Structure formats: C-alpha cells, structure tokens
Amino acid sequence: MDRSAENRTMTLSRDIAAPVAVIWSAWTDPEALPKWWGPDGFSCRTTRIDLRDGGEWVFDMIGPDGTVFPNHHRYTRVIPMERIEYELLWGENGPKHAEASATFESTGHGSRITLRMIFSSDAEYQEAKGFGAVELGMQTLGKLAAFVGAA
C-alpha cells in the first residue's frame, strides 16, 4: 500500500466467540444483515440487496433521531468464508467515499472480523474520524456479536 493510502486507512477488528460460518451467514444473508448492521440505536431500511461479485446493497441508515443516511455498497469481490470487498457510496450511485473490505479469520476460539476502509481523500478520512467512525464501527461489530449470540 502506498504511503498516501496508508494515511487514509481505517482498520477495525473484533474477536467474536462464534465460528466463521455463523458470522459469514449473518453477514451474507439478505434477511439477517440489515437486522444488525449499523451503530447502536440505528436501523436499516433496504431498497435492494444482492451480495455477490458485482452485486450491491442500497439502503438507508436511520439514526436514533430519525435522520436518514443514504448508503450504497457495491460488491467488487466476494470470497466465501474469507473476504468481502466493496465500495462505499454516498447514496445510490452517489460519489464513492471509500473502498472497504471485511475479512473473516478463524482464531481457534472463534473468529476475528477485520473491517478496513481506504478513504478516497484525506478530507473523507478526517471527516469519518471526526464523527466517530471508529467507535461507531466497533458498535456495529458489537451488534454482530450480539446477533450471533456471542456478545
């Protein structure tokens, strides 16, 4: 990774006491994913979801105060039980603000999930950091752990 990308990269990781297969299912099941995705107090309203190479998830994150945040994930690579790569867009077909990946690794006692986002610019990275993206992302991973019964 070049130096400039390194400075725009945010990495979050959590160990979850559940097998990769269980976590993978929660992440790739179109019915399950919207139930746990997002920080504490947020919900998802899905327009469409098709998690595969070339697929997409168009959805709104709805904050505790009712604020709607349009989102669009374009899936670029899906390696079953190992990795999901996708682009983060501001709303349907909006501007890309990051390239992201989720990796799934067996730890022997469960699984390690790692989210990585390479933001499109330093400004995008600083904005995400400023509004608490690290803490909010960790809350999302916490909701995943609770969803699979391993919180």
Side-chain angles (χ1 to χ4, degrees):
M1 174 185 335
D2 70 47
R3 231 24 211 143
S4 68
E6 190 176 294
N7 294 334
R8 296 180 282 114
T9 300
M10 186 175 291
T11 303
L12 312 173
S13 188
R14 178 171 174 142
D15 288 351
I16 297 176
V20 168
V22 170
I23 295 169
W24 181 264
S25 179
W27 203 292
T28 58
D29 178 339
E31 297 295 318
L33 180 59
K35 290 180 181 171
W36 63 264
W37 185 264
D40 295 344
F42 281 71
S43 62
C44 284
R45 179 175 54 219
T46 296
T47 301
R48 64 183 175 277
I49 187 169
D50 181 13
L51 205 151
R52 62 177 174 79
D53 285 6
E56 61 187 349
W57 182 22
V58 178
F59 63 103
D60 292 328
M61 292 294 312
I62 303 166
D65 65 356
T67 302
V68 175
F69 301 93
N71 282 264
H72 187 175
H73 292 181
R74 279 196 191 130
Y75 299 105
T76 55
R77 186 171 180 213
V78 178
I79 303 170
M81 307 290 278
E82 289 181 26
R83 184 177 187 88
I84 299 170
E85 296 176 5
Y86 53 103
E87 298 176 335
L88 301 173
L89 307 175
W90 291 118
E92 188 168 3
N93 298 314
K96 179 171 82 169
H97 64 97
E99 297 201 8
S101 65
T103 57
F104 306 79
E105 175 187 1
S106 179
T107 62
H109 301 353
S111 305
R112 175 168 297 129
I113 309 309
T114 303
L115 299 179
R116 185 170 165 188
M117 293 157 283
I118 303 172
F119 290 88
S120 299
S121 67
D122 290 334
E124 292 273 4
Y125 174 79
Q126 292 303 326
E127 181 180 344
K129 241 178 106 175
F131 72 66
V134 171
E135 296 80 7
L136 298 172
M138 292 306 293
Q139 288 177 16
T140 298
L141 292 177
K143 284 175 62 178
L144 169 61
F147 186 82
V148 299

